[in-house]
Amino acid sequence: MSLERLVVEADGASRGNPGDAAGGAVVIDPSSGEILVTAGVLCGHASNNVAEYRGMIEGIEIARELAPEATLHVKLDSKLVVEQMSGRWKIKHPDMKDLSIRAHEVIRGASVSFEWVPREENKRADAAANAALDRKASYRQP
């Protein structure tokens, strides 16, 4: 399978904010609309923003594993993460600084764009994050 472009939908969930948290990601082939992988990653006790970063990183890592040369379009309902990853907003929180550094390592050499989407348009990634919390385990499924 040759994929030139992938969409990553990512979200975070924190029950208590901060509280039990997980990130979720859905990797999609935009030419067919097919969901290639859905994943959730537990974050322990964390804020929703930290969980959002973790979901985004997980989604980007999966996309790069599937198609290392693909152009990535990342959709998030966190304006904070979109603006920080786009370099328009400074990162002050130490945990998010570390996650931003990790995210930039993961995207190094790739063509990546970030888009803020309304929460209603990010339900699949939200469901993936909540599924990890409900399962009390990280997961990946095709």
Side-chain angles (χ1 to χ4, degrees), residues 50 53-54 57 94-104:
V50 167
Y53 262 102
R54 293 283 306 277
I57 291 167
D95 290 343
M96 292 198 316
K97 273 187 185 180
D98 292 343
L99 288 166
S100 172
I101 290 166
R102 175 73 184 124
H104 281 94

Side-chain angles (χ1 to χ4, degrees), residues 59-119:
I60 292 170
E61 287 177 336
I62 292 167
R64 302 248 8 229
E65 289 167 15
L66 291 172
E69 303 302 318
T71 297
L72 305 180
H73 185 68
V74 182
K75 297 180 177 185
L76 304 127
D77 62 24
S78 169
K79 187 146 183 88
L80 176 79
V81 176
V82 169
E83 294 298 324
Q84 288 177 342
M85 287 302 298
S86 300
R88 291 185 289 266
W89 290 4
K90 290 185 181 182
I91 304 169
K92 296 177 184 169
H93 191 280
D95 290 343
M96 292 198 316
K97 273 187 185 180
D98 292 343
L99 288 166
S100 172
I101 290 166
R102 175 73 184 124
H104 281 94
E105 289 170 355
V106 172
I107 64 173
R108 185 173 294 126
S111 174
V112 183
S113 60
F114 296 92
E115 177 186 3
W116 175 84
V117 295
R119 185 169 302 219

Side-chain angles (χ1 to χ4, degrees), residues 8-13 22-26 38-39 75 121-131 139:
V8 175
E9 296 176 355
D11 200 9
V26 180
T38 300
K75 297 180 177 185
E121 293 178 24
N122 206 26
K123 290 182 179 180
R124 294 183 291 204
D126 178 66
N130 279 291
Y139 73 95

Side-chain angles (χ1 to χ4, degrees), residues 13-26:
S14 178
R15 296 180 179 165
N17 202 25
D20 291 339
V26 180

